[in-house]
Amino acid sequence: MIKQYDFANILFAGPCNLHCPYCIGRQLNPALNKNNLNEFPLPNLDRFVALVRQHEVTEIVFTGTTTDPQLYRHEARLLAWLQNCLPPPDPLPSPPPLRGREQIRYSLHTNGQLALRKMEVFNQYDRVCISFPSFKADTYHKLMGSPRVPDLAEIVQQAQVPVKVSCVINEHNNGELNSFLDRCGVIGVKRVVLRQLYGDTRVWPLPHQLILRTVYRRNPVYDYYGLEVTFWRFDQTASTSINLFSDGTISDEYLLTRAGADY
Ligand code: SF4
C-alpha cells in the first residue's frame, strides 16, 4: 500500500530578510541549510517530483528553514514548472479518480515582507500563509527581529487567493491578542492560526470571546466574531510530509521537518 503524506515541502535556505530569535532552521544541521536561493533546478527536484507522483501527494508547500521562499530568485519559474508537470498528463482513470490525480494544490508559507512586490506570483499559488505576529512595530521587532511590519491590510486587499495568518504567541504579544484578532477581522482576514513556539510549555491565556467550534488534529478551532481561530500546539501535531531540503536531501523525518512547518 502506498504511504500517504499530508503534503510535500520544498525548503529554501539562505540569508533571510528577518531575524526571528526563535528561527528553528538555524538549529538544524548546517548541511541541510545550504543556500539554494539562486539554484534552478533545485538539487534532487526530479526525485522529489517522482515521490510526489508515487505517493499521490495533493499539496506542495514552498517554505523555508532559514529564509523566506519569496527570496528565491526562481520562485515564479519553479511554481510554473511544477504546475506544468504535475499532476501527470495521462488521462484520469474513470471512475473514480485516484487521490493524487486530482489537481495539486500549491501553498506559500512566507513572512510577507516581499508580498506586495511579488503579488503576481503570490496570486499564482492556491493559498498563502503569512507569518505575522503583531501590527505594532515594537512588538513585531521583538518577535521577527525587524520593525518593518508588512502592510497586511494591503496584502489581503490585493490577494486573489485565500490568505491565512500565522501568529506565534509568546510573552511579547500575548497581551495584544484581542486587538490583534479584531484588526485581522476588520481588514478581511478569515483565518488565523495562533501558534505555540516549538518546545514552549508555558500556558498563554486566550481571549475569552473565543467560542470552540471543532477540533482539528487535536488542536481547538474557535470562532471569534466570524474569524476562524485555530490554536496550534505544534508538539501535539502529527502531520506527515515529504521534504526536499536545500542540499537535495529528501526526508519524511518529523524532527527534520519541524522548522519548515514553523510558518
Ligand atoms: S523564522 Fe522564517 S522569517 Fe524568521 S528568520 Fe527564520 S526563516 Fe526568516
Side-chain angles (χ1 to χ4, degrees):
M1 189 171 157
I2 297 174
K3 180 167 180 184
Q4 294 203 335
Y5 292 96
D6 298 313
F7 46 86
N9 287 318
I10 298 180
L11 298 160
F12 295 94
C16 192
N17 45 13
L18 291 179
H19 307 281
C20 309
Y22 53 81
C23 183
I24 293 176
R26 296 189 205 126
Q27 296 170 27
L28 290 180
N29 177 351
L32 296 170
N33 287 330
K34 183 171 167 280
N35 186 333
N36 62 350
L37 292 179
N38 296 313
E39 291 195 49
F40 190 93
L42 296 171
N44 233 354
L45 183 62
D46 286 346
R47 174 77 186 131
F48 175 79
V49 166
L51 287 169
V52 167
R53 287 182 200 265
Q54 181 187 336
H55 292 279
E56 300 175 351
V57 176
T58 55
E59 179 162 6
I60 294 179
V61 182
F62 282 41
T63 183
T65 53
T66 56
T67 192
D68 184 81
Q70 291 220 287
L71 284 165
Y72 177 48
R73 181 187 286 186
H74 306 287
E75 182 191 10
R77 183 179 176 193
L78 177 61
L79 183 59
W81 185 85
L82 288 166
Q83 286 169 334
N84 194 41
C85 83
L86 289 167
D90 49 318
L92 296 177
S94 69
L98 294 171
R99 184 174 184 262
R101 300 283 179 186
E102 302 155 8
Q103 190 69 40
I104 289 181
R105 186 158 63 173
Y106 294 90
S107 302
L108 168 66
H109 289 192
T110 177
N111 59 31
Q113 290 286 325
L114 294 176
L116 291 174
R117 263 191 273 165
K118 299 188 78 179
M119 204 27 94
E120 195 176 331
V121 60
F122 183 103
N123 278 325
Q124 284 163 24
Y125 292 90
D126 295 295
R127 59 182 186 171
V128 176
C129 179
I130 299 185
S131 203
F132 186 90
S134 178
F135 289 92
K136 297 183 179 171
D138 56 338
T139 308
Y140 189 91
H141 196 173
K142 287 175 188 151
L143 280 143
M144 306 294 272
S146 162
R148 284 193 322 269
V149 184
D151 186 346
L152 187 62
E154 187 59 29
I155 294 171
V156 171
Q157 176 92 25
Q158 292 190 28
Q160 294 162 10
V161 295
V163 173
K164 182 173 75 178
V165 169
S166 173
C167 171
V168 158
I169 48 174
N170 70 5
E171 66 277 18
H172 300 307
N173 63 347
N174 181 246
E176 308 174 355
L177 281 183
N178 274 92
S179 57
F180 178 82
L181 294 176
D182 288 341
R183 182 113 173 240
C184 283
V186 165
I187 66 172
V189 173
K190 303 281 184 247
R191 297 177 68 207
V192 172
V193 177
L194 302 175
R195 287 183 189 276
Q196 191 96 352
L197 275 169
Y198 188 82
D200 186 357
T201 53
R202 293 172 290 180
V203 178
W204 302 110
L206 297 178
H208 69 270
Q209 296 91 342
L210 292 173
I211 300 167
L212 184 65
R213 290 295 186 217
T214 187
V215 172
Y216 178 71
R217 294 180 190 236
R218 295 191 288 160
N219 295 291
V221 182
Y222 303 96
D223 174 78
Y224 183 88
Y225 302 115
L227 190 64
E228 183 192 287
V229 179
T230 305
F231 182 50
W232 196 266
R233 264 169 272 145
F234 196 72
D235 289 359
Q236 295 184 9
T237 304
S239 296
T240 56
S241 58
I242 298 172
N243 303 281
L244 176 62
F245 285 84
S246 60
D247 68 334
T249 299
I250 295 179
S251 170
D252 63 1
E253 285 294 317
Y254 171 78
L255 284 177
L256 290 180
T257 67
R258 67 189 190 203
D262 185 50
Y263 276 109

